[in-house]
Amino acid sequence: MKASHRTARLHLAEPLRISRSVTTARDAAWLTLEHEGQRGHGEAVSSVYYGLDIDTLHRHLDRIAREELPRFAGPESALQALGEGELTSEPTPAAVTAAVESALLDLVGKRAGSPLHRLVGLAAPRVATARTLGITSPLHAARQARRLSESGFRIIKVKAGAPDPEDDIERVRVIRDAAPHARILLDPNGAWTLRQARELLPRYAELSVEAVEQPIAPGDPESFAALAERSPLPVIADEDAVDLADARRLAGRVHGINVKLAKCGGVHAALRIAELAEQSGTDLMLGCLTASSLGLAPAVHLAARARWHDLDGHLLLAHDPWTGIGGSDGVVRTTGAPGLGVAERHDTMTVGVRHEDVA
C-alpha cells in the first residue's frame, strides 16, 4: 500500500457559537491509501475539545503509515486487524483510528465493488438529518429556521447554554413559530447545572422539543441517569458517552446515546455501541463534528442503526471540498457507488501536503 496525507482548511459559512466556544474553521487531515490501482480516503479534523491539532493528527498518521500498515499484505487484512484492535500497538486518538478505518473501508469496498453499508450488512441510507443552529439572536434564528424549513429540513437542532437561560427559551420559541412543523432537538453541551436541568426540561417539553442532548456537564453518570429517569422528554448522552465503556455505563439508563465516529474510533466501534444500545432499549443518535462530506460519509452509511441523525457537519461549511452524501434538502443519502461513494471536487484547495510511501 502507498499512503499520503495532506491538510485542508475547512471554513464555516458563519461562526458556530455553542455554550463553551465559537468555531469558525477546522483543519482536516486527509489520508489516501492506494493499492493495486484503487484508492481509499479518510478524514480526521482538529478539535480543541478533544485536544487534537493538525500536527498531532499528522504525527499519528505518519506513525501508522511507516510502522503499522507495512505489516499487512493488503487493505483487507489491515482492516481485519483494526476491527480486532490489533492494527497499532501504541495509543492512537479515536479520530485517527476512524480516519484510517474510513480509508481502508473505502478501499476494500471499491475492490469488492460494494458500498460501505453493504459491507457491514445495512440497508442503503436515505434519512432526514438535523441542521444545527448556534447560539444567536432570536431574529437571526427565526430567519435561519424559516429558510431551512422552506429548503426541506424537517429537524432543527438548537444549541443552548447562553448565560441567561431565558435567551435559549426565547430562541426555541421563535424557531418553533418560524418552523411550526419541524422536529426540534436541543443541545446545551453540558452547560446546565443539575438544578437548572430539572427546572428547564419541563419548559422545553411544553415547547414540544423532541429531545435534549447532554443537559449537564459530563463526568457524573449517576446524576445523568437520575435526571433521565425523571425527565419529561428524552435526554441523550454525548460528552458523557465517548466510547464503548461509557456507553456500557449509561445504556438502559438514558434515552439515547450520541455516537460520533471521531470520538468512539470509527465504524466498527460505533456498531458495537449500537448493538449494546439496542440490547438495552436505548436509542442511538448518529452525530458528527464539523467536517467535509468525506468525514461524514462513514456515519451516513450507518444511518439505518439510529433513531436520530445529526449529520450536518458538511452543511455548515462555506465550501465542502467533497461531494456524495447530499443533505442540502434536509436528507442525507449515499450514491450507491462502491466504498464511501464520495468524490473530491476539482476546485479543492489543500495546504501542507505531506506524502509517505508504504511498501
Side-chain angles (χ1 to χ4, degrees):
M1 279 184 287
K2 178 182 178 181
S4 64
H5 43 105
R6 51 195 165 127
T7 299
R9 186 73 166 166
L10 305 177
H11 294 277
L12 276 67
E14 64 177 69
L16 178 65
R17 181 181 296 276
I18 66 174
S19 61
R20 61 173 177 256
S21 63
V22 179
T23 301
T24 59
R26 286 189 190 273
D27 288 319
W30 291 342
L31 171 68
T32 298
L33 301 179
E34 184 174 354
H35 187 68
E36 297 180 348
Q38 297 275 19
R39 291 183 176 182
H41 307 281
E43 176 181 272
V45 295
S46 59
S47 169
V48 173
Y49 183 79
Y50 291 110
L52 295 175
D53 57 29
I54 194 63
D55 288 334
T56 299
L57 295 175
H58 279 299
R59 185 170 65 252
H60 284 283
L61 289 172
D62 279 336
R63 174 180 56 80
I64 291 172
R66 289 193 187 117
E67 301 175 9
E68 310 296 352
L69 290 178
R71 296 188 292 115
F72 302 97
E76 291 80 7
S77 56
L79 182 62
Q80 180 178 352
L82 187 149
E84 296 171 351
E86 297 178 355
L87 177 67
T88 175
S89 57
E90 294 188 23
T92 303
V96 173
T97 301
V100 173
E101 182 194 48
S102 172
L104 289 170
L105 284 166
D106 192 26
L107 184 53
V108 168
K110 288 172 179 175
R111 283 163 57 83
S114 175
L116 192 162
H117 60 265
R118 194 176 301 156
L119 286 179
V120 296
L122 295 176
R126 181 183 176 86
V127 297
T129 179
R131 173 63 161 79
T132 301
L133 300 184
I135 297 174
T136 186
S137 71
L139 179 61
H140 187 53
R143 288 173 176 169
Q144 287 180 306
R146 189 174 296 108
R147 176 178 56 82
L148 290 172
S149 181
E150 292 171 352
S151 298
F153 284 86
R154 304 197 302 273
I155 312 169
I156 296 176
K157 176 174 168 176
V158 184
K159 291 293 187 177
D164 184 352
E166 295 301 323
D167 291 343
D168 295 330
I169 294 283
E170 178 61 18
R171 191 179 318 107
V172 171
R173 184 177 291 113
V174 300
I175 289 172
R176 170 58 68 210
D177 290 342
H181 303 297
R183 298 162 54 195
I184 295 180
L185 306 174
L186 193 74
D187 185 9
N189 289 106
W192 297 343
T193 65
L194 186 58
R195 179 178 177 179
Q196 284 178 317
R198 288 170 176 159
E199 293 173 350
L200 291 170
L201 287 172
R203 298 183 65 185
Y204 284 110
E206 291 175 358
L207 290 170
S208 299
V209 168
E210 182 172 322
V212 177
E213 283 184 67
Q214 198 65 44
I216 61 175
D220 189 353
E222 295 304 317
S223 292
F224 199 127
L227 178 68
E229 185 178 8
R230 296 171 177 81
S231 176
L233 73 173
V235 292
I236 303 167
D238 182 1
E239 287 88 344
D240 255 323
V242 174
D243 55 20
L244 181 62
D246 291 335
R248 189 173 287 117
R249 279 189 286 270
L250 289 169
R253 307 177 71 198
V254 297
H255 304 96
I257 291 174
N258 185 335
V259 172
K260 295 187 176 92
L261 303 194
K263 70 176 181 178
C264 75
V267 168
H268 286 93
L271 289 174
R272 285 192 284 270
I273 294 174
E275 183 177 358
L276 171 69
E278 184 176 346
Q279 291 173 351
S280 70
T282 299
D283 288 314
L284 207 70
M285 169 184 273
L286 277 170
C288 64
L289 301 179
T290 307
S292 76
S293 286
L294 171 60
L296 269 289
V300 172
H301 281 271
L302 304 185
R305 295 302 300 265
R307 171 180 173 181
W308 296 286
H309 304 89
D310 179 25
L311 300 173
D312 68 337
H314 61 307
L315 302 176
L316 304 180
L317 300 179
H319 173 72
D320 184 357
W322 295 76
T323 183
I325 58 172
S328 61
D329 59 352
V331 177
V332 289
R333 75 276 280 178
T334 55
T335 61
L340 296 180
V342 298
E344 189 173 356
R345 298 182 190 273
H346 294 302
D347 55 351
T348 295
M349 298 292 292
T350 61
V351 296
V353 178
R354 311 177 187 204
H355 293 280
E356 182 68 33
D357 290 339
V358 181

